[in-house]
Amino acid sequence: MAWRFFFFFSFQLAGLAVGWWQGGPWGAMLAAALAAWVWFIWDLLRGARVVAWLREGDLARAPNLRGLWGEAADRARRLLRQSQAEVAASDARLQEILAALQATPNGVVLLDGEGRIEWCNHIAASQFGFDAQRDVMQSIGNLVRDPDFSAYYSSQDFSHDVVLQGRDSTASRPVRISVHLHPYGDGRKLLLSRDVTALEQAEAMRRDFVANVSHEIRTPLTVLTGFVETLQTLPLSTEERSRYLGMMSQQAARMQSVVQDLLTLSRLEGSPLPGITEWTPVEVLLRRCEDEARGLSALLTQNQPRPHTIQFPSLETMRAAGQLGGVPAELQSALSNLIGNAVRYTPAGGSITVEWLTLEDGGARFTVRDTGPGIEAVHLPRLTERFYRVDRSRSRETGGTGLGLAIVKHVLQRHSASLDISSTVGKGSVFSVTFPAGRVQSRRPVTVLEAGAVAQA
């Protein structure tokens, strides 16, 4: 500020001196006034440059001035740089937050006070069918037309969530989305959504499991209790007593089978994964399976005019199959369960074909084909659930516990194998197990063409 006064008085004195020299006292006064106006206009122009620069806000075009206006421009430039740095930092933090919201496995939608979409991540866009660019500032009520959501949004009670049917939900593959609104700020709302299909299915499976276990054990216990009371209270002949004891033994064996299968499942879930230090010849596994299958078939068809036709791979194919790495008892259980199911559910006179194929990648495929009644497509995804039965009465007649395929699934998962099921109603079913190359040691490579030739022979 002192320099500003110094320059102003310097202009005045210079004008006064020139005017005195040229025109005396009156000339000095006129020249001093003119010098004051020149300085004022010059200072005004410098200020106008600073104001014009401030209006543009371009730091690269800041005026290079001295004096008060120069200091003002410098301070403004520093403040602008600091402000731009803060804005850049805030924008970077905002982008990091948005990136984190994009990475979250849940859907996120930001709504303004009027319920219009300000921003949404890709998960929410996929779950609700939004377009992240096109639907900005669109009302959420116009885009999510589910009646349950409309009632939830209009109630203004956001202390709980609401579960909606997913956009891609179908009868065979339902999708359930949980939506929860959280108010914040000045009337704004945060919408969080997550796919709860797996949770609801797991809860349904848990309820079904508890109900099925209770039913499967309660029924034999009820029968046993009734027979015991009958034996204790009524005088029975030797023949009646023998018949009742036989039925009691049958129910006890059924209950024991259920408990044994439950223990097997529990052991499979809790034990460490099997290594590949233990190898079992495929021939041994298949021969045991064949003995069990023929014995079960003879038992089931003993009063039938025609037995089952059971075909296993030839001796050469079984010997060439090599060995399987894993727990022998578990592998035997899985293969036997698949063959046993085919025998149980194929009517007398039908055929069961067991195949073993060494794949080109070094793996192997075990296949069981039957000519049974077949299974409707709606049941196929749930066949490996515990106690799930397509026909409950048929399962009990054949002695099934409803846990066989669940055991197969766990055994195969533990051995890195996969199970494929295909079926046609009225024509039969095909159960295929594919073992990875790391679990198979073949003695001699068997090509697909060779295996086909052996099967045709």
Side-chain angles (χ1 to χ4, degrees):
M1 184 65 68
W3 283 103
R4 185 176 178 83
F5 282 108
F6 172 76
F7 280 113
F8 176 73
F9 286 119
S10 296
F11 265 77
Q12 291 282 75
L13 290 176
L16 186 65
V18 172
W20 185 275
W21 177 58
Q22 293 290 335
W26 289 105
M29 294 178 59
L30 182 61
L34 182 61
W37 277 102
V38 169
W39 180 89
F40 177 75
I41 293 172
W42 174 71
D43 188 70
L44 186 63
L45 290 175
R46 297 174 72 226
R49 288 180 61 190
V50 174
V51 172
W53 168 69
L54 290 175
R55 288 174 179 172
E56 293 179 1
D58 187 1
L59 287 176
R61 301 182 61 182
N64 187 14
L65 303 174
R66 296 182 180 275
L68 182 63
W69 288 115
E71 183 178 354
D74 290 340
R75 290 182 178 272
R77 183 166 53 246
R78 286 195 294 269
L79 290 175
L80 283 174
R81 285 177 177 170
Q82 181 179 355
S83 177
Q84 288 184 352
E86 292 176 354
V87 169
S90 299
D91 185 67
R93 286 195 295 270
L94 175 61
Q95 293 303 320
E96 290 177 357
I97 293 172
L98 294 180
L101 294 178
Q102 287 287 9
T104 181
N106 299 326
V108 180
V109 182
L110 303 181
L111 305 175
D112 65 6
E114 302 297 327
R116 294 172 298 195
I117 298 174
E118 293 183 325
W119 182 87
C120 68
N121 66 353
H122 298 319
I123 298 297
S126 174
Q127 289 174 342
F128 297 106
F130 296 159
D131 187 305
Q133 303 297 328
R134 182 193 62 201
D135 293 333
V136 171
M137 301 312 295
Q138 295 293 320
S139 174
I140 187 71
N142 294 336
L143 300 177
V144 183
R145 296 182 176 271
D146 192 294
D148 292 337
F149 178 78
S150 300
Y152 174 68
Y153 189 84
S154 60
S155 69
Q156 297 297 307
D157 179 13
F158 306 136
S159 59
H160 58 90
D161 64 345
V162 60
V163 179
L164 313 177
Q165 182 173 313
R167 185 173 64 97
D168 299 326
S169 180
T170 61
S172 60
R173 190 174 182 180
V175 178
R176 304 285 287 170
I177 305 297
S178 170
V179 177
H180 201 169
L181 285 169
H182 301 271
Y184 75 98
D186 187 15
R188 286 180 164 79
K189 298 177 183 67
L190 171 67
L191 185 151
L192 298 178
S193 61
R194 61 191 180 105
D195 191 331
V196 295
T197 305
L199 292 177
E200 290 202 345
Q201 289 177 345
E203 180 62 21
M205 289 174 62
R206 185 193 65 81
R207 290 194 301 267
D208 292 344
F209 175 72
V210 173
N212 284 323
V213 168
S214 301
H215 176 75
E216 294 294 335
I217 295 180
R218 186 187 299 119
T219 301
L221 283 176
T222 302
V223 174
L224 286 172
T225 303
F227 284 147
V228 169
E229 291 178 354
T230 300
L231 291 173
Q232 289 176 336
T233 57
L234 295 178
L236 301 174
S237 64
T238 303
E239 182 180 353
E240 290 176 331
R241 183 181 296 273
S242 176
R243 183 165 63 88
Y244 285 162
L245 289 174
M247 296 175 68
M248 291 173 65
S249 176
Q250 182 182 5
Q251 293 299 323
R254 174 185 167 190
M255 187 165 55
Q256 185 177 9
S257 297
V258 172
V259 173
Q260 184 62 40
D261 283 349
L262 286 173
L263 291 175
T264 299
L265 277 173
S266 177
R267 185 181 69 252
L268 291 174
E269 292 176 344
S271 59
L273 294 177
I276 54 174
T277 58
E278 206 170 358
W279 295 89
T280 305
V282 174
E283 179 185 0
V284 173
L285 295 174
L286 294 184
R287 283 187 178 278
R288 290 175 184 170
C289 291
E290 183 174 6
D291 292 340
E292 293 177 5
R294 297 192 185 281
L296 178 61
S297 174
L299 179 64
L300 295 176
T301 61
Q302 57 184 346
N303 298 323
Q304 303 294 330
R306 295 177 56 196
H308 291 120
T309 300
I310 301 177
Q311 182 179 359
F312 271 73
S314 65
L315 182 61
E316 293 78 8
T317 302
M318 285 194 288
R319 289 178 177 175
Q323 303 180 95
L324 273 182
V327 181
E330 294 183 10
L331 294 171
Q332 182 72 51
S333 174
L335 303 184
S336 295
N337 263 307
L338 293 177
I339 299 174
N341 282 344
V343 173
R344 285 189 180 93
Y345 294 105
T346 299
S351 64
I352 297 96
T353 304
V354 179
E355 302 172 356
W356 184 273
L357 178 65
T358 301
L359 305 177
E360 293 181 355
D361 63 356
R365 182 178 295 123
F366 169 81
T367 305
V368 181
R369 304 177 187 271
D370 64 59
T371 58
I375 306 168
E376 294 182 8
V378 67
H379 298 293
L380 296 182
R382 300 191 60 189
L383 285 181
T384 56
E385 294 180 12
R386 301 179 184 188
F387 294 110
Y388 186 82
R389 293 188 177 98
V390 177
D391 187 345
R392 291 183 176 273
S393 61
R394 175 70 174 166
S395 295
R396 294 195 180 97
E397 289 174 4
T398 57
T401 63
L403 296 170
L405 287 179
I407 293 174
V408 170
K409 180 186 72 172
H410 281 79
V411 169
L412 297 184
Q413 287 177 346
R414 286 167 50 79
H415 289 79
S416 305
S418 60
L419 175 65
D420 296 316
I421 306 173
S422 61
S423 183
T424 303
V425 176
K427 294 185 177 180
S429 305
V430 179
F431 290 77
S432 297
V433 178
T434 303
F435 292 97
R439 292 279 177 182
V440 181
Q441 282 186 350
S442 298
R443 295 181 183 176
R444 182 182 63 85
V446 179
T447 65
V448 176
L449 293 178
E450 289 176 333
V454 172
Q456 292 178 357

